[in-house]
Amino acid sequence: MTATPTPRVTIKEVAARAGVSKGAVSLAFNQKPGLSEATRDRIFRAARELGWAPSPTARTLAGSRVDVVGLAICRPARLLGLEPFYMEFVSGVESVLTEHSCSLLLRLVRSLEEEVGLQESWWRGRQIGGSILVDFRADDPRVATVERLGMPVVAVGHPSLTGSLTSVWTEDATAVTEAVRYLAALGHRRIARVGGAATLGHTSMRTAAFDEAARALELAGAWQVATDYSGEAGARATRSLLTAAAPDRPTAIVYDNDIMAVAGLAVAAEMGLSVPDDVSLLAWDDSQLCRITHPPLSAMSHDVHGFGAEAARTLFGVITGEGPGSHPVPTPVLTPRGSTAPPKV
Amino acid sequence: MTATPTPRVTIKEVAARAGVSKGAVSLAFNQKPGLSEATRDRIFRAARELGWAPSPTARTLAGSRVDVVGLAICRPARLLGLEPFYMEFVSGVESVLTEHSCSLLLRLVRSLEEEVGLQESWWRGRQIGGSILVDFRADDPRVATVERLGMPVVAVGHPSLTGSLTSVWTEDATAVTEAVRYLAALGHRRIARVGGAATLGHTSMRTAAFDEAARALELAGAWQVATDYSGEAGARATRSLLTAAAPDRPTAIVYDNDIMAVAGLAVAAEMGLSVPDDVSLLAWDDSQLCRITHPPLSAMSHDVHGFGAEAARTLFGVITGEGPGSHPVPTPVLTPRGSTAPPKV
DNA sequence: AATAGGGACTTTACCGGTTCAGAAAGCGCT
DNA sequence: AGCGCTTTCTGAACCGGTAAAGTCCCTATT
C-alpha cells in the first residue's frame, strides 16, 4: 500500500517506443498474423529495452485464458506437514506448469464444503484457468459443481468416483491384490491392512480389494483398520494388531502410506518383535523415507512426481478443449526390501 | 477455452437490480462512506441474490491491492517432497492467509537466479501483493532486487543475512549452543554435527556456533559435515562418522533436520550400534517423524507451523505499510526423548 | 482503367471493477 | 427567499490489455 512506488511500464510505452499502436504490440506478443517481421522485431526490441511483459491481470480481464491452476487440499494441516505424498505430487505438478509458465494457486482447506466454495469463487472470479481436484470420495459434490460451472478440471481419482470428469488415477485395487498375493506367496496366512481415511474413495476401494483378495486366497486371518494417515494413528493401529498372542496375530501388515509404515516399524521394535522375522511390513507410496529405515521398508512404490506431472498435463488437455478422458497411470509396483520375508513362526 | 460457458454476473447486474450505479455498488463493497444504510442494504441484498462477488482481477487492474502472496522455494523437487519442514511452514502461512481471504502462489524454482526473475515478474505483473522469501544465503541478491522494486516482503532468515528487509527468524546459534551444551552435560566429549546445505546462510551460522561451542566446552572431538538435507546424505554422513574405531568416533550426533536423524538412526541400527547407548542422536525441527521412530528421537523442537503463521502475519504488516522490523520467533527448545543419554563407552 | 484481394496496421469497443469530480436533494439559518 | 453545507448518488475516465472491425496502400486480375 504505502510501499515505495514501482515505475510501471505498460503496453503504451512499448508501442510508443516502437512507433506502433497498442494493438500491434498485442498482436506481436500473441504471435498472431498481420505484422511484418521488421515491425515484430522492433516491437520485441522495444519491449526488451523497457523490460516490459504483458500484465497477466489485464490479459485475464480482457478475456484471454488464465495462467494459474488451482489446487485445494483438504486435510488437517498437522497431517499434511508430514505426508511426503503431497509435496511430491505438487512438485510433479509444478514441473509441468513451469513449462507453460503457469503458476499454482495452493490452498489448504478444512472441509469439502469449503473447497467447493473456494473452487467456485476461484473460477467465477477468473482466478484460475482450471483446477486439480484430489481426495475424491463417494458421491463427491465437486463433480456436480464443476459440471454446472463448466470449469476445466482434472480429477485425481478412480473413474468410478469422478463421474464424467477427466480423471488421472492408479489401479489401487490391483495393487492391493498384488500386495496381498505377494505376502501370501511368502507364506503369510494372517495379514492385516492399516488403511487411510475411511471417507476417501480410494480407501474404500482398497478395502474392498483387500477383502476380496483375502477371500480368494482363503487367508486364515485378515484385519483392516482405518486411520487418519498420521504416524500416531499408524502406531496405534500396529500396536493393537500386534498385542494379540502369537498364534492369533497377523504376521504381515500392509500400510496405506509410508509414514504409518515407519511408525509401525518403530512399534514392532518397541514390542521386541523383529522385522521381518516376526512380522513383515509393507509400505505404500514409497518416498525416500522407506529407504532410510532399518530394515528398509518393502513398498508398493509409485512415481508420485510423475503422477502429479501427468495430472497437470491432463489438465492442460482439458483446458485446451480435449474431450473428457480417463488417464490411468502405472499401477504401484512391489519393491521388496528388507521388511518382508516368509514368516518364521 | 472450449469449456461450456459460465454465466458471469458482474457489478452492472447488481447495480441494475439494486437500482443504483456501478459506483454505488463499489462504494458499498469497499465500505466507503457516502451511502445511506438503506441503499447499502439494498445493494448487498441484490448481490447476495445474484451470487455476486467482486472480481479480484478487475479490482487489481483498477489499482487496489492484490490478495495473493508469493512463495518460491528453491530446492530440488526430490528433496522437497520429503522435507516435512516446508509443508508445515506452508500450512502455517495458509492458516493466516485464509483469515484475510488471501491465497498463496507457490512455485518451486531450480535456482536463486530463477527466483529473482520470478519475484520480479510476479511483482511487476501485479500477480502478488507481497512475498515470503526463504532460504537466505550470504549476500543474497534478493535483498537488492526487492529494495529496488519497493516490493513488500518478509524475509525468513537471520537479520544479518536479510539486510534492511523485515525479517522473521529463529536464533539458530543459541539453539546449536544449547544442543551441544546438553550433550556435553550428559558427558559427551566427542560430538558431531550433520549440517544442511553449506550455501544456506543459517547453515553457516549454525556451523560457526557449533565450532564456538565446541571450543568453549573444550570437547575432545568435534566434527561437522555438510549435506543436501536428504535422508541419503544423512545416512552417508552418519556411516562415515561412525566407521571410526570406538575410542575415536563421536558418541553423539546432531542433525540439521529430522529426516537425516531418522536415516542416522537406521544406520546406527544397521551397524549394530545401540541408540542411545553407543551413540546419542539429536534431531532438528521435530516433526511428527521424531516421535514415531524407535527409540523416539530427541530433538531441538520448533513450532514450524507457528513460524509460518508469524511470517504471514508479518508480511501483512509490511504490506499495510509498517516500517521494517525484526521479528524473532521462539528459539528451538530441546525436547529430550529416547535417543540421547550419557555415553556408555 | 476499374475492381477485387491481401497485407500491415490503426481504431475502437470492451473486460469488470475503482475513483473522483460534480449534480441533486434536503436542511438550517439569516 | 436566498445561501451555503452536507449527504447521497451518478457519470465518466481509467487500469492494461485483447479482439474485431476499419483504413490505407500495393499488387494482380479482368
Side-chain angles (χ1 to χ4, degrees):
Chain A
M1 221 98 191
T2 333
T4 61
T6 309
R8 292 207 183 285
V9 23
T10 77
I11 197 173
K12 216 183 306 179
E13 277 90 328
V14 177
R17 180 175 250 261
V20 296
S21 67
K22 301 197 314 175
V25 178
S26 177
L27 289 181
F29 268 78
N30 294 346
Q31 33 238 36
K32 299 216 171 153
L35 288 185
S36 67
E37 267 316 304
T39 311
R40 220 172 270 275
D41 283 355
R42 218 153 13 95
I43 292 174
F44 283 126
R45 186 154 359 101
R48 195 160 354 97
E49 287 162 2
L50 263 40
W52 177 82
S55 144
T57 311
R59 264 191 167 168
T60 298
L61 187 56
S64 50
R65 95 269 123 259
V66 188
D67 46 6
V68 173
V69 318
L71 174 61
I73 300 181
C74 174
R75 299 244 181 131
R78 190 179 56 85
L79 298 183
L80 254 183
L82 201 56
E83 278 246 66
F85 180 88
Y86 275 113
M87 260 291 187
E88 229 166 301
F89 184 82
V90 165
S91 87
V93 168
E94 286 272 8
S95 69
V96 172
L97 295 190
T98 304
E99 295 168 13
H100 297 246
S101 352
C102 201
S103 296
L104 183 70
L105 199 55
L106 179 74
R107 187 91 155 238
L108 308 184
V109 294
R110 276 175 309 277
S111 71
L112 193 51
E113 295 67 50
E114 190 183 341
E115 177 178 348
V116 171
L118 180 65
Q119 297 281 4
E120 177 157 1
S121 80
W122 270 351
W123 173 245
R124 310 231 306 182
R126 283 178 142 301
Q127 303 256 79
I128 57 171
S131 230
I132 298 176
L133 269 28
V134 296
D135 280 347
F136 272 79
R137 58 183 67 178
D139 295 317
D140 201 291
R142 289 172 294 180
V143 177
T145 304
V146 157
E147 279 173 349
R148 172 167 52 80
L149 295 172
M151 168 180 173
V153 302
V154 57
V156 176
H158 195 273
S160 66
L161 300 165
T162 61
S164 63
L165 308 179
T166 293
S167 57
V168 172
W169 50 284
T170 56
E171 193 52 275
D172 278 2
T174 309
V176 167
T177 307
E178 184 187 345
V180 176
R181 281 215 187 111
Y182 161 71
L183 293 169
L186 287 179
H188 293 276
R189 309 294 302 155
R190 294 189 308 284
I191 305 179
R193 169 171 166 271
V194 175
T199 51
L200 262 32
H202 69 264
T203 299
S204 47
M205 301 187 63
R206 292 185 194 176
T207 303
F210 183 89
D211 276 341
E212 174 58 31
R215 192 172 40 253
L217 294 164
E218 296 177 345
L219 295 184
W223 297 257
Q224 296 200 66
V225 11
T227 68
D228 62 4
Y229 281 115
S230 70
E232 267 117 12
R236 212 159 35 236
T238 307
R239 211 168 278 124
S240 86
L241 285 168
L242 294 181
T243 42
D248 293 328
R249 75 174 172 227
T251 60
I253 309 181
V254 188
Y255 294 84
D256 254 20
N257 70 4
D258 41 15
I259 287 295
M260 296 196 294
V262 172
L265 191 58
V267 167
E270 143 205 326
M271 295 177 77
L273 262 30
S274 140
V275 173
D277 289 347
D278 298 323
V279 58
S280 283
L281 264 31
L282 184 56
W284 206 279
D285 282 347
D286 196 22
S287 72
Q288 210 188 342
L289 212 47
C290 295
R291 263 156 287 160
I292 63 174
T293 55
H294 180 79
L297 287 162
S298 301
M300 295 305 293
S301 75
H302 182 194
D303 177 10
V304 177
H305 183 94
F307 194 19
E310 179 61 18
R313 264 191 297 272
T314 305
L315 177 57
F316 279 114
V318 175
I319 290 177
T320 57
E322 267 172 30
S326 171
H327 298 237
V329 138
T331 305
V333 305
L334 183 74
T335 304
R337 295 205 183 86
S339 67
T340 45
K344 286 271 172 64
V345 281
Chain B
M1 221 97 192
T2 333
T4 61
T6 308
R8 292 206 184 286
V9 25
T10 76
I11 198 174
K12 215 184 306 181
E13 277 90 329
V14 176
R17 180 175 249 261
V20 296
S21 67
K22 301 196 313 175
V25 178
S26 177
L27 290 182
F29 268 77
N30 293 344
Q31 33 238 40
K32 298 216 170 155
L35 287 184
S36 68
E37 268 316 304
T39 313
R40 222 172 269 275
D41 283 355
R42 215 150 19 92
I43 292 175
F44 283 125
R45 185 153 359 100
R48 194 160 356 97
E49 288 163 1
L50 262 40
W52 177 82
S55 145
T57 310
R59 265 190 164 168
T60 298
L61 187 56
S64 48
R65 95 272 120 250
V66 187
D67 46 6
V68 174
V69 318
L71 174 61
I73 300 181
C74 173
R75 298 244 182 131
R78 190 180 56 85
L79 299 183
L80 253 181
L82 199 55
E83 277 244 70
F85 181 89
Y86 274 112
M87 259 293 189
E88 230 167 300
F89 185 82
V90 165
S91 87
V93 169
E94 286 273 6
S95 69
V96 171
L97 295 190
T98 303
E99 294 167 13
H100 298 245
S101 353
C102 201
S103 295
L104 184 71
L105 199 54
L106 180 74
R107 188 93 154 235
L108 308 184
V109 294
R110 275 175 309 276
S111 71
L112 194 50
E113 294 67 51
E114 189 182 340
E115 178 180 346
V116 171
L118 181 64
Q119 297 281 3
E120 177 157 1
S121 81
W122 269 351
W123 173 246
R124 310 230 308 183
R126 282 177 142 299
Q127 303 255 78
I128 56 171
S131 228
I132 298 177
L133 269 27
V134 297
D135 280 347
F136 272 79
R137 58 182 68 180
D139 295 315
D140 201 290
R142 288 171 293 180
V143 177
T145 304
V146 158
E147 279 173 349
R148 172 167 55 78
L149 295 171
M151 167 180 174
V153 302
V154 58
V156 176
H158 194 273
S160 67
L161 300 165
T162 60
S164 63
L165 307 180
T166 294
S167 56
V168 172
W169 50 284
T170 56
E171 193 52 274
D172 277 3
T174 309
V176 167
T177 307
E178 184 185 346
V180 176
R181 283 216 187 110
Y182 162 70
L183 293 169
L186 287 178
H188 293 276
R189 309 294 304 156
R190 295 189 306 284
I191 306 180
R193 170 171 166 270
V194 175
T199 51
L200 262 30
H202 70 266
T203 299
S204 46
M205 302 188 61
R206 292 184 194 176
T207 303
F210 183 88
D211 276 340
E212 174 57 29
R215 190 171 43 251
L217 294 163
E218 296 176 344
L219 295 184
W223 296 258
Q224 295 202 64
V225 12
T227 67
D228 62 3
Y229 280 116
S230 70
E232 268 117 11
R236 213 160 32 237
T238 307
R239 211 169 277 125
S240 86
L241 284 168
L242 295 181
T243 42
D248 292 327
R249 76 176 170 228
T251 60
I253 308 180
V254 189
Y255 295 85
D256 255 21
N257 71 5
D258 42 13
I259 288 296
M260 296 196 293
V262 172
L265 191 59
V267 166
E270 143 205 325
M271 296 177 76
L273 262 28
S274 142
V275 173
D277 288 348
D278 296 322
V279 58
S280 283
L281 264 31
L282 184 56
W284 205 279
D285 280 348
D286 196 22
S287 73
Q288 210 188 343
L289 212 47
C290 295
R291 262 155 288 159
I292 63 175
T293 56
H294 181 78
L297 287 162
S298 301
M300 295 304 293
S301 75
H302 182 192
D303 177 11
V304 177
H305 183 93
F307 194 19
E310 179 60 17
R313 264 190 297 271
T314 305
L315 178 56
F316 279 114
V318 175
I319 291 178
T320 56
E322 268 173 30
S326 170
H327 298 237
V329 139
T331 305
V333 305
L334 183 73
T335 304
R337 295 204 182 86
S339 67
T340 46
K344 286 270 173 64
V345 281

